[in-house]
Amino acid sequence: MTQLRSLLERINAGAGPSLGFGAIQSARLPAMALIARCSGDLEAALLAAGDAADAVVIAAPGGSPGGLPDLGDRVWGAGGVPLTPENVALWHAAGADFMVSPPTGAEVDAVNVAQPGMTHGMRIPDDPDDAAWRVLSTAPVDFLVLDKSAMTGTWTFADLAQVADAVSRTDKFQIVRLGLRPSVNELVALHQAGAVAVVAEANDFGSDGMAGLKADLTTLPRVQPTGRRRVQPSLETPTT
């Protein structure tokens, strides 16, 4: 199991922290994980992410892992990379723990379902139709990313409904990419809607913003999400 997958599962289950995540592992499990998106000046982005980020995603659409800055013992992955066997092999060899890919052109052979060496995620398309949801629901990936980075105002109930709708339609972990820093009330609502992690642009938030967001997530009151991922009963589970 990859480190990101393990973290998301423990957050989803409400379990306590475990050892082995290096300096970025918080002493207290946050209500939602904080993933720092690093683009542009990667050195500056990694510095801004600091110890606040539970993981970092390197924005690399069409790129390669060559020339990456020193990532130390961080949990990291590649974002925007097309899901192909060649890309998975390339980034896995470079030490990536996960990949986030667009659904367009994703190849099934890129994911080794039997012995996964990486955690895979997909970005939810803008205005997905029923066909897109069927693809996302059946795709052998671990998490979905709802991109709300274009938001310039406060969260509305309609925005929250998008998160809850995504959670109810699939059994994948739900991650939300942020634009502005949410208030504590908005974070509580996202948590209750079923999100297990948020993504923040490190260079936009800055080191103080990232640290403040992580503090909010760590002290966030735990609630029972209305859209919690459901575990289907096994054949051995008694049913009524």
Side-chain angles (χ1 to χ4, degrees), residues 104-180:
T104 304
E107 300 180 24
V108 174
D109 281 344
V111 180
N112 187 335
V113 179
Q115 295 180 331
M118 299 177 73
T119 292
H120 296 283
M122 278 189 177
R123 180 186 178 277
I124 298 174
D126 297 330
D127 300 318
D129 56 16
D130 287 341
W133 279 118
R134 283 194 292 271
V135 171
L136 295 173
S137 178
T138 59
V141 297
D142 300 278
F143 63 89
L144 300 176
V145 178
L146 178 64
D147 190 349
K148 301 294 290 183
S149 61
M151 285 181 59
T152 57
T154 57
W155 280 77
T156 67
F157 286 108
D159 295 318
L160 288 175
Q162 289 183 284
V163 180
D165 184 52
V167 173
S168 68
R169 286 177 179 269
T170 77
D171 64 348
K172 321 298 183 187
F173 293 113
Q174 182 62 57
I175 296 176
V176 178
R177 182 181 169 190
L178 303 173
L180 303 177

Side-chain angles (χ1 to χ4, degrees), residues 193-209:
V196 295
V198 294
V199 180
E201 190 75 39
N203 276 332
D204 290 345
F205 274 61
S207 57
D208 290 343

Side-chain angles (χ1 to χ4, degrees), residues 2-221:
T2 70
Q3 294 186 75
L4 180 63
R5 170 81 193 202
S6 176
L7 177 61
L8 296 182
E9 285 192 352
R10 289 186 295 109
I11 287 176
N12 186 67
S18 65
L19 300 177
F21 280 82
I24 62 174
Q25 175 61 39
S26 172
R28 181 179 184 274
L29 194 71
M32 293 183 285
L34 175 57
I35 301 173
R37 185 176 185 272
C38 298
S39 61
D41 187 337
L42 295 184
E43 294 278 6
L46 291 170
L47 183 63
D51 291 338
D54 297 293
V56 298
V57 56
I58 306 296
S64 70
L68 287 178
D70 180 18
L71 294 163
D73 60 355
R74 295 177 184 270
V75 178
W76 69 277
V81 179
L83 189 58
T84 66
E86 296 77 16
N87 283 337
V88 170
L90 182 67
W91 286 92
H92 184 252
D97 184 76
F98 61 93
M99 281 176 54
V100 187
S101 304
T104 304
E107 300 180 24
V108 174
D109 281 344
V111 180
N112 187 335
V113 179
Q115 295 180 331
M118 299 177 73
T119 292
H120 296 283
M122 278 189 177
R123 180 186 178 277
I124 298 174
D126 297 330
D127 300 318
D129 56 16
D130 287 341
W133 279 118
R134 283 194 292 271
V135 171
L136 295 173
S137 178
T138 59
V141 297
D142 300 278
F143 63 89
L144 300 176
V145 178
L146 178 64
D147 190 349
K148 301 294 290 183
S149 61
M151 285 181 59
T152 57
T154 57
W155 280 77
T156 67
F157 286 108
D159 295 318
L160 288 175
Q162 289 183 284
V163 180
D165 184 52
V167 173
S168 68
R169 286 177 179 269
T170 77
D171 64 348
K172 321 298 183 187
F173 293 113
Q174 182 62 57
I175 296 176
V176 178
R177 182 181 169 190
L178 303 173
L180 303 177
R181 179 178 167 183
S183 68
V184 171
N185 283 340
E186 290 170 332
L187 288 174
V188 171
L190 282 172
H191 174 39
Q192 189 166 19
V196 295
V198 294
V199 180
E201 190 75 39
N203 276 332
D204 290 345
F205 274 61
S207 57
D208 290 343
M210 294 295 292
L213 180 55
K214 179 57 180 289
D216 288 344
L217 292 172
T218 303
T219 58
L220 206 66

